[in-house]
Structures are given as structure tokens and as C-alpha cells.
Amino acid sequence: MSLQWHEFASKDELDLNLAHYIAAQLQQAIAERGTASLAVSGGRTPAGMFKALRASDVEWSKVYITLVDERWVPNDHADSNERLTRENLLQDGAAAANFISMVNDAATPHAGLAGIEARLSVIKTPIDILILGMGDDGHTASLFPNAVELEQACASTQLVAAVTPPVAPHQRITLTLPTIVQARNVLVHITGTGKKELLNTAMQEQKAITELYPIRRVLDQVKSTAQVYWTA
Ligand code: 6PG
């Protein structure tokens, strides 16, 4: 079974439709279980969708929010995914109150891992909605091709793993592959024809090279339900 693609004519249309879908899914989770959980990715893509989601009528006081992955920088650093999320999604006090940070004051993600693991335990898995981005190298979350800890982060029984990407300015902390694929609803949010072609290549290549495309390792396990939201 192949991935479900949703293509939109513009970034604004993509952001509005994805935000509308996420809001509806969060409200359905709240109706069914009393609370909902949302894990968002960072990078440059999501800011517009975050703003549209912030404007929705989600009952944020009932939603636990965290990150799929984070750069190991202070949460006011220009490269912080938490800063991006706070500035664009968490303007509502209730949403901000339920945000679970993926950084602490440990010097490295390896040193901080146990504390973050304990902090995240308030989120009951499976996470309801999990939004993935994809890098131009096929990485998703902080599962990077050729990263030393890629196999560990793909096999870990923990919620999070520490990763030192092969080429990136920061060490990372990431939800592990088992945590990601457990999510009830995995959404891939990408833009540009280059990423569409890369994702199609990753999904068509023979199994043997899936380690080159970590997003393939994720989507192989959720492709019957995962949805891709994309615009050129
Ligand atoms: C991160 C995430 C990554 C991100 C992609 C897409 O950078 O924190 O690890 O998975 O979602 O790199 O990033 P862009 O939206 O900037 O292309």
C-alpha cells in the first residue's frame, strides 16, 4: 500500500488544510479520551502551519505538546525548535502550559537524556498526532543517514535518544523510531519538488538501502496510515 499524498496549490493552502486536519484530529482524541497529544517537528517548514493551528478552536488545555526532535541548544537560541514552536504555536497560555520541553541544562543530550525521558513520561504513548519533516538528505526527526547512533535510535526501547548528526551544527535529541511509529497518526509535512522526488525515491528503492533514507524506515512501518501534505 502506498502513502496517501495530499497536494496543495500553495504553501498557505497547505498550511491551512494541514492545520484544519490536525485540529479536527486533536478534538476527536479529546472527545474519545479526554486529552490529546501532539508532537511537532521543527525546521523552516512548519511556522505558517503553526500559526494556522494556533488560530483553531482546539481545547489546548487538554493537549500535551512536545517536539519530535530538538537541537541541543538553549530554548531561546535561533536554531531552537522549542523557540520556533513557542513563537508560532504556543501563544495561548494553555498550550504553553502543556508544552514539554526536550532540552534541559545538561551539557550534552547524552547527559540530559534521563531527565528528558522522565519529563516526557507524562505523555502516554501512543502519541495521537505526530508531524514529521524531512531534510534534503532524507533524514526525519533526528534520524540522520550515516549517523553513528542511527541504529541505536531506531532500535531503542526508550522514548528518546541522543544523536550526533554527521554534518550539522548541533547535537540532537530525538524521539526514537519505535516511539514515532507507535503514533496513532503520522503526518509528513514537506514542500518543494525536490523533497517530493526524494521521498518517492526513498519509498521506491529496494530495501537494501533504507539506511540511506531514515524516513523510509519510519514510513515502511506506518505507510498504510501515514499521510503526506505537500506543495511544490
Ligand atoms: C529539524 C528536524 C527535521 C526537519 C527537517 C525539515 O531540523 O529539527 O530534525 O526533521 O523537520 O530537517 O526541515 P526544513 O523544514 O527546515 O526543511
Side-chain angles (χ1 to χ4, degrees), residues 106-121:
T108 68
H110 298 80
L113 213 52
I116 302 302
E117 184 87 15
R119 190 187 285 173
L120 282 172
S121 62

Side-chain angles (χ1 to χ4, degrees), residues 11-12 14-15 18 40-51 67 69-71 78-85 87-88 131-139 141 144 167-169 172 189-192 194-195 198 231:
K11 181 80 168 50
D12 286 349
L14 164 63
D15 291 344
L18 179 52
V40 298
S41 286
R44 297 170 308 250
T45 302
M49 187 278 285
F50 283 170
K51 289 188 176 76
L67 293 165
D69 66 321
E70 179 61 291
R71 299 85 182 271
D79 293 345
S80 163
N81 286 337
E82 176 170 342
R83 174 174 170 177
L84 171 84
T85 307
E87 289 176 350
N88 294 284
I131 308 165
L132 292 174
M134 184 184 73
D136 294 328
D137 58 358
H139 88 262
F144 284 84
V167 178
R172 304 281 193 104
H189 182 202
I190 55 174
T191 59
K195 286 190 179 181
L198 178 65
T231 188

Side-chain angles (χ1 to χ4, degrees), residues 40-212:
V40 298
S41 286
R44 297 170 308 250
T45 302
M49 187 278 285
F50 283 170
K51 289 188 176 76
L53 184 55
R54 180 180 70 202
S56 70
D57 57 358
V58 170
E59 295 173 271
W60 291 113
S61 62
K62 297 176 181 175
V63 182
Y64 289 103
I65 307 169
T66 193
L67 293 165
V68 172
D69 66 321
E70 179 61 291
R71 299 85 182 271
W72 200 258
V73 295
N75 64 11
D76 59 355
H77 189 285
D79 293 345
S80 163
N81 286 337
E82 176 170 342
R83 174 174 170 177
L84 171 84
T85 307
R86 286 188 184 282
E87 289 176 350
N88 294 284
L89 177 60
L90 304 182
Q91 297 290 309
D92 175 317
N98 289 340
F99 177 78
I100 295 142
S101 175
M102 282 184 82
V103 291
N104 55 35
D105 56 7
T108 68
H110 298 80
L113 213 52
I116 302 302
E117 184 87 15
R119 190 187 285 173
L120 282 172
S121 62
V122 71
I123 293 186
K124 298 293 169 272
T125 51
I127 292 169
D128 287 305
I129 309 274
L130 189 141
I131 308 165
L132 292 174
M134 184 184 73
D136 294 328
D137 58 358
H139 88 262
T140 194
S142 284
L143 307 176
F144 284 84
N146 310 314
V148 170
E149 305 97 332
L150 177 63
E151 292 315 317
Q152 174 204 338
C154 286
S156 172
T157 57
Q158 303 296 313
L159 288 174
V160 286
V163 175
T164 304
V167 178
H170 308 297
Q171 294 184 73
R172 304 281 193 104
I173 185 167
T174 184
L175 296 184
T176 59
L177 181 120
T179 305
I180 291 169
V181 299
Q182 270 185 55
R184 289 190 171 93
N185 198 337
V186 174
L187 304 170
V188 180
H189 182 202
I190 55 174
T191 59
T193 49
K195 286 190 179 181
K196 178 180 183 181
E197 287 162 9
L198 178 65
L199 182 51
N200 278 326
T201 300
M203 296 309 289
Q204 286 155 9
E205 292 290 352
Q206 74 279 15
K207 282 296 270 181
I209 59 167
T210 52
E211 65 277 8
L212 289 184

